[in-house]
Amino acid sequence: MIDLHIHTTASDGQYTPSEIIQKAFEKKLKAVAITDHDTVDGLEEGKAAAKKLGVTFVPGVELNINNSTGEFHLLGLGLNKISASLNEILSNLVKNRDIRNQQIIKKMNDEGVDLTYEEMLSDFPDTVIGRPHFAFELVKKGIVKTRQQAFDIYLARGRKWFVERVGSNLDEAIQGIKDSGGIPVVAHPMSLYLSWGKLPETLQNYYDRGVVGIEAFHPGARVSECLRLEELAHKIGFVVTGGSDFHGEKIRADRKIGHTCGGKKLEDSIWQNIENLVYHI
C-alpha cells in the first residue's frame, strides 16, 4: 500500500509527523506523503522519522487555490527544497487564513460565543488554524456535541459562521511547486463541483497550464467516480495519484491510512507510475 495525501498537527491533523510515519511503518506502506494545508512545517520531522524507520517519504503540501466553484486544492508532491516563490505563497495563505479566522471569531462573538483568537492559538500552538479547530472549540464549550455537528450547523459553506477563504493564484502555485522540485496535482477533483460535462475541459486547461497529475483516488468520491477520473487522467495525459486524506480518527473516523474510495487499499501500482517523477527519501 501507499498513501500520498496525509495531514499532521502542523495543519489540522490529529497526529504529529513522527506519529504518522510510525503508523505508515506499522502498516508497511511502500511510500507516504505528508501534505499539510498551506504549510511545510512538518516535513523535516517527517523526513527524519522516515529515515530512521526506513519508510519512503514524499515531502508535500496542499495549497488552497482561488476558484469560482467548489473547492480547488493543489497538492505539491516531491518537494526537494522550498523555493522563495513557494515560501511567499505559503506566507500569504497563512495571512489570509488569519484574517478569515478573525472574521469567523467575530461572527461567533456577535452571537454570544466567548472565544478569542489568543485562546485558539494557546490550544493549538505551531499549527495552521482552520475550521476543524473551530469545531473543536465548539465541542469544548458544549455548543455542539460533535465536530461534524459544528460544521453541519455553523461552519460549512452556506452556514452562518462560514467565511470564504482567499487562496492562491493557480499559475503562481504551479510555479512555486515546480520551483521547489515538486509536481502539481489536483487534489480530490470532485470537490471542484463541476459536472462531468465540464470537468474534462477544465482539467485539460489545468494540464495545459502545467499541472502534472490528478488525485483520481480519494475517499470523498465513489469508486465509480474514481475509476472515471483515472480514465480521464490517462486520456488527457495526467499521472494518477491517490490518498486517504487522513486527518486522524478523532477528526475523520471514516478515513484510514493507506485506504481510499470505498475503503479500497491504495495499490503500489500508483507509486510505480509516479516514483520517477517525484523526489523522495
Side-chain angles (χ1 to χ4, degrees):
M1 290 191 298
I2 65 153
D3 200 328
L4 300 178
H5 189 161
I6 295 180
H7 297 277
T8 77
T9 50
S11 63
D12 57 350
Q14 178 182 340
Y15 298 104
T16 66
S18 296
E19 290 170 335
I20 286 296
I21 298 302
Q22 179 66 39
K23 286 180 175 294
F25 174 75
E26 291 170 359
K27 292 180 178 294
K28 300 181 180 179
L29 263 64
K30 187 174 182 66
V32 60
I34 286 177
T35 55
D36 280 311
H37 293 286
D38 304 335
T39 182
V40 293
D41 287 351
L43 296 186
E44 283 303 314
E45 180 183 339
K47 178 179 178 180
K51 186 175 182 180
K52 181 178 179 181
L53 293 174
V55 174
T56 299
F57 179 65
V58 180
V61 70
E62 183 173 12
L63 306 177
N64 184 55
I65 306 297
N66 286 326
N67 196 48
S68 58
T69 61
E71 283 188 339
F72 187 177
H73 291 175
L74 189 70
L75 294 171
L77 296 178
L79 309 175
N80 64 8
K81 59 182 178 179
I82 306 303
S83 64
S85 56
L86 181 56
N87 261 325
E88 183 177 0
I89 289 168
L90 295 173
S91 177
N92 288 333
L93 286 171
V94 170
K95 288 177 184 176
N96 291 336
R97 274 181 177 268
D98 286 343
I99 293 170
R100 182 200 196 200
N101 291 338
Q102 297 280 9
Q103 292 172 335
I104 294 174
I105 285 176
K106 185 178 186 306
K107 284 176 176 281
M108 296 169 69
N109 291 164
D110 288 346
E111 295 200 26
V113 178
D114 182 19
L115 178 66
T116 66
Y117 203 25
E118 290 70 27
E119 181 181 351
M120 295 195 70
L121 291 173
S122 176
D123 285 344
F124 302 101
D126 303 318
T127 300
V128 177
I129 291 177
R131 286 182 297 165
H133 304 98
F134 282 99
F136 173 90
E137 296 291 351
L138 292 175
V139 173
K140 175 183 170 183
K141 292 179 180 296
I143 295 171
V144 293
K145 292 182 178 180
T146 66
R147 296 188 190 198
Q148 187 58 50
Q149 193 177 55
F151 275 88
D152 293 342
I153 299 174
Y154 299 111
L155 299 172
R157 183 179 296 274
R159 301 299 185 256
K160 59 182 178 179
W161 293 343
F162 176 80
V163 175
E164 193 69 55
R165 184 167 59 197
V166 177
S168 177
N169 171 273
L170 174 59
D171 297 301
E172 291 176 357
I174 291 170
Q175 192 60 53
I177 290 169
K178 289 188 172 182
D179 288 347
S180 301
I183 64 168
V185 173
V186 178
H188 39 73
M190 300 309 296
S191 294
L192 293 167
Y193 296 141
L194 292 172
S195 68
W196 283 103
K198 293 182 179 179
L199 194 58
E201 180 182 359
T202 300
L203 291 177
Q204 181 69 58
N205 174 264
Y206 297 160
Y207 179 82
D208 293 341
R209 291 160 71 176
V211 175
V212 173
I214 64 171
E215 186 182 41
F217 294 97
H218 183 274
R222 294 188 290 269
V223 174
S224 59
E225 292 171 329
C226 293
L227 293 174
R228 193 169 178 180
L229 285 169
E230 181 183 37
E231 182 181 358
L232 180 57
H234 292 323
K235 187 177 296 185
I236 293 174
F238 286 116
V239 297
V240 171
T241 76
S244 65
D245 205 350
F246 180 76
H247 287 69
E249 298 86 359
K250 291 182 179 179
I251 299 173
R252 288 297 301 261
D254 58 326
R255 296 185 179 176
K256 299 178 180 179
I257 289 179
H259 294 77
T260 189
C261 54
K264 293 169 63 70
K265 291 181 179 179
L266 285 154
E267 301 297 339
D268 293 355
S269 58
I270 294 175
W271 176 241
Q272 292 164 2
N273 291 331
I274 197 175
E275 182 179 7
N276 65 331
L277 297 177
V278 299
Y279 168 80
H280 53 88
I281 62 168

